[in-house]
Amino acid sequence: MYEEKTKQKSLGIFALFGLLPLLAFVIVVMIPFISGLLLSLTNWKGVLDGIQFIGLGNYAAAIKDPGFWASMQLTVVYVLFVTILTNVLAFLLASLVTSGFKGQNLCRTGYFTPNLIGGVILGFIWQFIFTRVFVFIGQTLDIGLLAKNWLTVPQTALWTLILVSVWQNAGYMMLVYVAGLMGIDKSLLEASQIDGASSWQRLLRVKLPLMVPAFTITLFLTLRRAFMVYDVNLSLTKGGPYNSTQLIAMHVYNDAFVNQNLGPGQAKAFLLFAIVAAVAMLQVYILKNKEVDSL
C-alpha cells in the first residue's frame, strides 16, 4: 500500500514537472522536425494539389546545386573568421575585466550590451555607419580605406558582416570566459608564481588548460550562431552585392520561401543541419578529451 502511494506520488511529480516540458518539446521541436523531413521528400511548391513524393530527389538536386555550395563556401570562410576573432577578442576582454581595475563591472556591461540588440536592428545601425559615418570620416580626413562604401564592394562586403558579428557576439562569450577565469583555483596561480612562472607561462600552463570547458561552450555557441546567421545578413547586406555575401541560411530561405521551392529548400535545410551537427559534435568531442581537472 505504501509502495503504491509512493509510485502514484512519483507519477504525479513527473506529470507536474516533466510531462508539460516533454509535451512542449514534442509540439515545438519534434513535430516540425518530422514534418520538415517529410516535406523534404516532396516537390511541394506551396500548392496543395501539386504535391508529389519524389524520394531523395531534392537531396540529390541540392548536392548538385552550385549555388548551394557557393553559399556554403562563403559561409565556411565567414564561420572561420567569426569563430576565431570572436573568441580571441572575448578572451582578451574577459582577462581585462577580471584583472581587478576600477570600473571593470561597468566595462562588462558595456561589452555585453551589443548582444542585447536584435540582429535586424544591429544590421541597420551598422549599415548607416558603413554607408554614412565611415564614408564621411574617410572623405573628410582623406582616408582612402574609409572613403568608399564597404557594403557596395564585393571584396569588403563580407568583412562588414564578420566585423558586426564579432562585435555582437564577443560580449556574450566574454561572460563565459569570465566565469571560467573566476573559477580557477587561486592557490594554483599562487603556487606557480612562487615557483617562478611568468605571467605568460601561467597563462599557457595553468589558465588555458583549466579553461578548456569554457572553450568547449564558447566554440559550440559561436559555431552554431555563425552557421545559422540570417538576421544580420538580411538587414546589413541582403546577400549583395552580386550575391557576394549570401550566406547559406539566406540561400536556403530564398530558395524555400522567395522562389517557392519548399521541398527542395527543406532538403537544403536538412543538409545544413547535418553539416552543422557534425562539425559541432566533432568540436565538442575533441575538446572534451582535452579537459583537465584542477584537483
Side-chain angles (χ1 to χ4, degrees):
M1 188 68 181
Y2 175 75
E3 288 182 357
E4 187 176 343
K5 286 185 177 179
T6 304
K7 195 172 182 180
Q8 289 177 350
K9 188 176 180 181
S10 299
L11 288 174
I13 293 174
F14 170 76
L16 183 61
F17 293 101
L19 196 58
L20 288 178
L22 182 62
L23 187 63
F25 176 77
V26 170
I27 294 174
V28 176
V29 178
M30 292 308 298
I31 292 178
F33 185 86
I34 295 171
S35 301
L37 185 61
L38 295 175
L39 183 62
S40 70
L41 303 176
T42 70
N43 65 343
W44 192 37
K45 294 182 179 293
V47 183
L48 286 176
D49 57 357
I51 187 168
Q52 291 179 343
F53 179 78
I54 59 172
L56 299 177
N58 288 329
Y59 291 93
I63 292 173
K64 295 178 182 176
D65 183 4
F68 176 78
W69 293 112
S71 291
M72 182 60 76
Q73 186 178 3
L74 199 65
T75 304
V76 170
V77 175
Y78 168 82
V79 168
L80 185 66
F81 280 103
V82 167
T83 302
I84 294 174
L85 294 177
T86 296
N87 284 280
V88 169
L89 179 60
F91 188 81
L92 292 176
L93 291 176
S95 300
L96 177 67
V97 299
T98 54
S99 59
F101 74 93
K102 289 184 178 178
Q104 63 181 18
N105 290 333
L106 184 63
C107 288
R108 288 181 193 180
T109 306
Y111 296 144
F112 182 73
T113 300
N115 189 70
L116 300 176
I117 305 174
V120 175
I121 298 174
L122 198 67
F124 284 124
I125 292 173
W126 276 96
Q127 188 185 68
F128 175 79
I129 293 173
F130 280 118
T131 56
R132 303 285 183 177
V133 179
F134 282 173
V135 173
F136 174 77
I137 294 174
Q139 291 177 349
T140 304
L141 302 178
D142 196 20
I143 303 175
L145 184 64
L146 299 178
K148 293 182 179 178
N149 184 353
W150 285 18
L151 297 176
T152 61
V153 182
Q155 289 76 15
T156 56
L158 182 63
W159 283 102
T160 64
L161 268 178
I162 294 172
L163 290 174
V164 173
S165 299
V166 171
W167 185 75
Q168 181 186 25
N169 295 326
Y172 185 84
M173 304 307 160
M174 176 198 70
L175 292 185
V176 181
Y177 286 130
V178 166
L181 288 171
M182 295 183 70
I184 296 176
D185 191 346
K186 291 184 179 178
S187 63
L188 294 174
L189 298 175
E190 292 171 355
S192 62
Q193 192 170 8
I194 292 172
D195 289 340
S198 63
S199 300
W200 182 248
Q201 288 173 324
R202 289 201 300 274
L203 174 66
L204 292 181
R205 303 292 177 83
V206 181
K207 288 184 179 178
L208 289 183
L210 294 175
M211 289 284 291
V212 173
F215 289 129
T216 305
I217 297 171
T218 54
L219 286 176
F220 175 80
L221 292 174
T222 312
L223 282 171
R224 188 189 64 81
R225 285 186 172 199
F227 268 112
M228 299 297 181
V229 67
Y230 176 76
D231 46 4
V232 175
N233 194 184
L234 176 67
S235 57
L236 185 62
T237 66
K238 290 184 180 177
Y242 311 115
N243 291 335
S244 62
T245 61
Q246 189 182 76
L247 300 180
I248 190 63
M250 175 171 282
H251 174 83
V252 171
Y253 179 87
N254 288 342
D255 196 21
F257 297 104
V258 177
N259 301 328
Q260 288 295 304
N261 294 321
L262 295 175
Q266 192 65 39
K268 290 180 179 178
F270 270 96
L271 286 177
L272 174 61
F273 167 76
I275 293 172
V276 175
V279 172
M281 286 192 291
L282 180 64
Q283 172 259 317
V284 171
Y285 174 78
I286 293 173
L287 288 183
K288 276 288 182 184
N289 288 333
K290 294 186 178 299
E291 290 185 4
V292 296
D293 198 338
S294 61
L295 297 178

